[in-house]
């Protein structure tokens, strides 16, 4: 399956990529404006694209037009792991005091074959920190190729659903679902989604995110 080959290569690139933070502006919001904080990896950091072309920025544009009183801060970093996210979450929460936190991490853990319990513990730390700060959480999952073995791939995917159930968070099981089988949806590296595919990711995430903004 195309997405499986693409995902394997995507994770390899992400692992060795020099960490680069997304360039979304994060100036202090106007009084009364609530913040959506996105913490992800290269798929959320618009890798290979202008920041404005990524699904996170496109989500911010939609929110600006349809959800007055909200803004998006993209704190995603290419190459990020759940350990990195867990280490950064307290500072990001303090800096932005978000009302909603979107967690889209875990793919790089899978590439490294990190213990499932370790990945789960890191995601759990992020969820608990966000909820302690009175923020709603949207957990966005990823899937591993079958060559990682049925036990690992199944357990990896179940980490997201189990945590969402345990902590009563919103869940989007698989970020790349709308474009997973579409070869034309990827850049020349056959790894990262092209600009024209980003609206599909935005719309996919929106289904789970929009209810949290009511």
């Amino acid at each position: 399956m195309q997405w499986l080959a693409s995902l394997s290569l995507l994770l390899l690139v992400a692992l060795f990529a020099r960490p680069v933070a997304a360039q979304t502006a994060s100036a202090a919001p106007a009084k009364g404006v609530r913040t959506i904080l996105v913490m992800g990896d290269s798929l959320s950091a618009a890798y290979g694209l202008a920041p404005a072309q990524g699904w996170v920025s496109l989500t911010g544009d939609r929110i600006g037009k349809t959800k007055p009183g909200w803004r998006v801060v993209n704190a995603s970093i290419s190459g990020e792991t759940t350990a990195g996210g867990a280490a950064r979450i307290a500072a990001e929460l303090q800096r932005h005091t978000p009302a909603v936190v979107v967690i889209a991490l875990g793919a790089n853990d899978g590439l490294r074959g990190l213990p499932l319990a370790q990945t789960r513990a890191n995601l759990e730390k992020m969820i608990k920190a966000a909820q302690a700060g009175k923020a709603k959480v949207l957990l966005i999952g990823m899937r591993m190729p079958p060559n990682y073995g049925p036990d690992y791939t199944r357990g990896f995917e179940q980490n997201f659903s189990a945590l969402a159930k345990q902590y009563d968070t919103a869940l989007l099981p698989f970020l790349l679902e709308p474009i997973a089988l579409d070869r034309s949806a990827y850049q020349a590296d056959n790894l990262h989604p092209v600009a024209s595919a980003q609206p599909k990711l935005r719309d996919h995430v929106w289904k789970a995110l929009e209810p949290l903004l009511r």
Side-chain angles (χ1 to χ4, degrees):
M1 296 174 65
Q2 176 62 30
W3 79 266
L4 295 176
S6 297
L7 181 57
S8 295
L9 292 173
L10 168 63
L11 294 174
L12 183 61
V13 168
L15 175 61
F16 294 105
R18 180 173 179 264
V20 177
Q23 299 299 307
T24 300
S26 58
K31 185 177 181 179
V33 174
R34 292 175 289 179
T35 297
I36 302 162
L37 175 66
V38 180
M39 298 193 67
D41 48 34
S42 60
L43 293 173
S44 302
Y47 185 94
L49 305 174
Q53 295 177 305
W55 73 262
V56 177
S57 183
L58 295 177
T59 298
D61 292 342
R62 172 174 286 179
I63 285 172
K65 296 174 182 177
T66 64
K67 298 289 181 180
W70 287 90
R71 69 160 190 163
V72 175
V73 170
N74 193 0
S76 300
I77 298 179
S78 294
E80 185 75 293
T81 61
T82 60
R88 291 194 300 122
I89 186 68
E92 296 292 350
L93 291 172
Q94 183 176 14
R95 184 177 298 117
H96 303 295
T97 58
V100 174
V101 176
V102 178
I103 301 172
L105 290 169
N108 290 313
D109 294 47
L111 171 63
R112 299 180 183 189
L114 297 180
L116 296 175
Q118 179 178 319
T119 297
R120 176 167 177 155
N122 290 329
L123 292 172
E124 184 176 31
K125 180 179 178 179
M126 296 183 73
I127 293 170
K128 291 172 70 174
Q131 292 183 336
K134 308 303 182 184
K136 299 177 182 178
V137 175
L138 169 58
L139 186 60
I140 296 181
M142 184 53 67
R143 294 175 183 168
M144 289 293 103
N147 57 291
Y148 282 79
D151 291 340
Y152 191 87
T153 56
R154 188 182 308 111
F156 183 88
E157 184 176 353
Q158 289 176 348
N159 261 347
F160 297 98
S161 58
L163 284 169
K165 182 177 181 180
Q166 180 179 354
Y167 290 98
D168 193 25
T169 76
L171 173 68
L172 189 72
F174 183 31
L175 174 62
L176 297 178
E177 184 174 355
I179 62 169
L181 302 179
D182 182 2
R183 187 181 184 88
S184 67
Y186 294 88
Q187 297 176 37
D189 61 8
N190 200 35
L191 309 173
H192 298 87
V194 296
S196 62
Q198 297 294 324
K200 294 182 180 179
L201 300 182
R202 174 202 59 194
D203 293 346
H204 184 49
V205 173
W206 186 251
K207 293 180 294 184
L209 177 60
E210 193 273 337
L212 303 182
L213 311 183
R214 297 172 185 168

